Amino acid sequence: MHLNSIVSFLRNIRKLHRVLGLSICLLVIISATTGILLSYKKQAEWIQPSTQSGKSAQTEQFISIDSIHKIGIKQVIGLKNTITIDRIDIRPEKGIAKILYKDVNWEMQIDISTGKVLSQKARYSDLIERIHDGSFISESFKLGSMTYLGLGLLILTFSGLGLWYGPKVIRNKK
């Protein structure tokens, strides 16, 4: 390759690198910040409450899913007018059920042998995860932004390597 064409190529790569870097900067900051928070979700009680333990891990002593559902709805009526359960996470080895609610950042833990409420606390890990992957806006935004971010980071990596290696090639040509 001729020296002038290498220099011209590096100028174009530098411009691409700068424009792409600026355009994905906000997505990188959001993704990195929320990623750090998610890595500490088990250590930070305000992100995700620690898992309690029930009285028994014997499955024959567990109450029904319907009973767990009723307790989960009855206990949080004051939280919001219409509350819906997003999911019930049963942890038989701990003897508990975690109830997670839609549209509110709330978690309830119930002893699945007795039906006693062991914990009711705010849970922000799911919200942080939705911000992290962009799904808090929409599924199509998630797909578009994460594709753009991933491809952008790959291009930045390779263009950065080219910008690092290119001057060495030019020095060797001279």
Side-chain angles (χ1 to χ4, degrees):
M1 219 179 199
H2 193 266
L3 190 59
N4 287 339
S5 61
I6 293 172
V7 170
S8 175
F9 178 73
L10 285 176
R11 282 188 185 130
N12 289 334
I13 290 293
R14 189 172 289 115
K15 188 182 289 185
L16 170 72
H17 192 82
R18 185 180 331 113
V19 169
L20 187 58
L22 286 172
S23 72
I24 68 170
C25 184
L26 182 61
L27 288 174
V28 169
I29 290 168
I30 291 169
S31 190
T33 304
T34 54
I36 290 167
L37 289 173
L38 287 171
S39 69
Y40 286 96
K41 71 181 178 183
K42 299 289 185 188
Q43 287 76 28
E45 186 84 14
W46 67 271
I47 296 174
Q48 182 173 310
S50 57
T51 303
Q52 305 297 312
S53 290
K55 281 194 175 190
S56 174
Q58 303 299 318
T59 55
E60 61 273 356
Q61 296 177 5
F62 292 170
I63 61 177
S64 70
I65 298 290
D66 186 54
S67 297
I68 293 170
H69 186 272
K70 285 177 183 170
I71 293 166
I73 293 294
K74 181 182 167 197
Q75 291 292 321
V76 293
I77 292 298
L79 192 61
K80 201 175 177 188
N81 290 341
T82 56
I83 194 87
T84 21
I85 292 177
D86 180 39
R87 64 186 183 270
I88 299 173
D89 179 10
I90 306 233
R91 304 279 174 96
E93 71 284 350
K94 295 269 189 177
I96 62 135
K98 288 185 178 187
I99 300 174
L100 305 165
Y101 299 90
K102 281 186 181 177
D103 305 322
V104 290
N105 300 309
W106 199 254
E107 171 188 288
M108 181 185 302
Q109 295 182 34
I110 296 174
D111 183 318
I112 49 180
S113 297
T114 64
K116 178 182 174 197
V117 176
L118 301 173
S119 168
Q120 287 192 69
K121 293 185 180 173
R123 175 189 169 117
Y124 294 103
S125 58
D126 295 338
L127 172 65
I128 294 168
E129 189 174 316
R130 288 191 309 273
I131 292 169
H132 180 73
D133 68 11
S135 62
F136 76 101
I137 293 175
S138 72
E139 275 302 306
S140 58
F141 179 82
K142 172 187 170 178
L143 291 172
S145 65
M146 290 299 108
T147 300
Y148 185 67
L149 179 60
L151 290 174
L153 288 173
L154 284 172
I155 293 168
L156 280 175
T157 300
F158 290 119
S159 63
L161 288 170
L163 291 171
W164 169 76
Y165 186 68
K168 295 179 185 306
V169 172
I170 291 171
R171 270 186 247 120
N172 287 339
K173 289 259 185 198
K174 287 181 178 178

